[in-house]
Amino acid sequence: MSESQASRARRGAPGVWLSIALAVAVVAIVGTAIALVDIRRDVQDRRDEQLARLISHAERSAAHIASQLQEDGAPRELEAIKSTRWLRTYWTQTLSRQPYRLYATIVDLNGTIVAHTNRDQEGKQLQPGEQAAAIPLAAEQVELIDDVLTTGQRAIDVRVPIKQDNETIGVYHAGLDADWLDEQLADEATRRSWFWIMLIGGTCCVLLLSSGTVVHVTRRTARLEHQLETAEARRVSEMHELVLGIAHEIRNPLNAIRLNLHTVGQVFHDQTALSDEEIGSMLDEMEEEIARLETLMREMLGFARTGSREIAPLDVADEIKRTIMLLRSKLDQHHIELRLDLPDEPCRVSVDPTRLRQVLINLLNNAVEAIGTGGRIEIIVRCWRAQVEISVIDNGPGIAAEDRQRVFIPFFSTKASGTGLGLALARKFIEEAGGTLLCEESPLGRGSCFRISLPATSGATLEPVL
């Protein structure tokens, strides 16, 4: 992914989240619509179920009353039914098991209550023309409130005709508590609503989380691809500069050797005359150029070598002290003040000791060459956040901000002499050990600061940076 593609991806991020939000909203709206239909249908089914039971019970009761009258030999005498023991027993048992059944009653064709579960209501007259006094042709139900029939309570009244020889002789009424039925249906609606809330909410959460995960993975993949492309571009650029640097570093010695050989050839063929001292000087110069090429090849092999190294845990402070002992005479010769700021407790890392010493020597030599005479070098070691940090700071002329990253490119050098491979090798060694090497602005106000960070071993003492 190019930089422009990455920026377009970042600009498109709000659109992605807007699309996800719209998808979640659509799921919520559609789910809510389905839930409302389902809840309404479920409530209606429960209501129909309760009424069907009540109607079935009333039809059986009406048929039983008609049959009992037939057996007693008074098929049309409804008045006789209220004195039968079975009816009272039947009603008592039914109402005790089903308290939401408000009443059961038998009414003659004149609207007089012949028998009622509430004995006080017997003999009372239903008002003609009122809904309670209607004579049905078949089983039917109606919601009503009547002072005589329902004793003032709101009820679902189920009425079934009592027939003898296909002729209606009376009406059987059974009342269901309408308030109780409404509460049951409200509870069912609430239970069903919570089910749908959990289902729709869970679906939306899963959709949101899965979409967010996909977006995160996609962006992470895009970033990794961009980083890989950037790293590849950097490697190609470094390889280009490496090839150019190698060609430049090899061309100069070869040109010098070729010119000197041409001159020696002319002397050999008596085409020119040189003194022995001049010939010796030319031979010495060629030997120096060959030695320079050998040094270059040795450094190049060190840069390219990836073989295994001896990894050993070591105390950074001890290794710094050993390195300083090697460079003490050089520091004294240039009158450079060296200040050490080392922790009291050991800061251990697992690296190749030879490579770490090579890196430290390179950084200190660079600092000495940058300072010249009469300057100061500070070496600070800190252990924090599972990292050991080594800072080599000088108060020399410093490195320009635009060159602080380029100093690690092979063959780039701010010095008049040198191959420009020292810092490139140093960064390579540190990165192979799992660390980083950075060039930063010096905290001394001028000069340079090279900061090494390496993973601390499990036994390192960690402390915050002050």
Side-chain angles (χ1 to χ4, degrees), residues 109 111 129 146 158 163 176 178 181 224 243 246 274 278 338 359-360 384 394 441:
L109 297 179
D146 185 81
V158 172
K163 294 187 177 183
L176 181 68
L181 181 59
L224 290 176
V243 172
I246 292 174
L274 293 175
E278 290 175 327
L338 180 64
V359 171
L360 293 173
W384 67 299
D394 66 70
E441 184 178 359

Side-chain angles (χ1 to χ4, degrees), residues 35 38-40 42-43 46 182-198:
D38 177 77
I39 293 169
R40 188 179 297 112
D42 185 65
V43 169
R46 288 296 297 270
D182 289 345
E183 290 178 1
Q184 294 296 308
L185 297 180
D187 291 342
E188 176 64 17
T190 300
R191 183 189 66 81
R192 201 68 180 170
S193 297
W194 275 112
F195 166 77
W196 278 105
I197 289 173
M198 296 294 291

Side-chain angles (χ1 to χ4, degrees), residues 227-293:
Q227 291 173 0
L228 288 174
E229 291 178 2
T230 302
E232 183 66 23
R234 190 186 74 175
R235 283 195 295 270
V236 171
S237 175
E238 289 182 354
M239 182 61 67
H240 177 70
E241 294 194 22
L242 179 63
V243 172
L244 292 178
I246 292 174
H248 176 74
E249 293 295 331
I250 293 177
R251 185 187 298 115
N252 290 338
L254 289 180
N255 285 338
I257 293 172
R258 184 175 65 246
L259 290 173
N260 288 342
L261 286 175
H262 178 70
T263 303
V264 172
Q266 288 181 327
V267 173
F268 181 76
H269 292 94
D270 295 329
Q271 295 177 356
T272 187
L274 293 175
S275 65
D276 293 341
E277 291 79 6
E278 290 175 327
I279 296 176
S281 175
M282 293 174 63
L283 292 175
D284 291 339
E285 183 180 350
M286 287 190 289
E287 184 176 358
E288 290 177 0
E289 294 298 338
I290 292 173
R292 181 181 173 188
L293 286 174

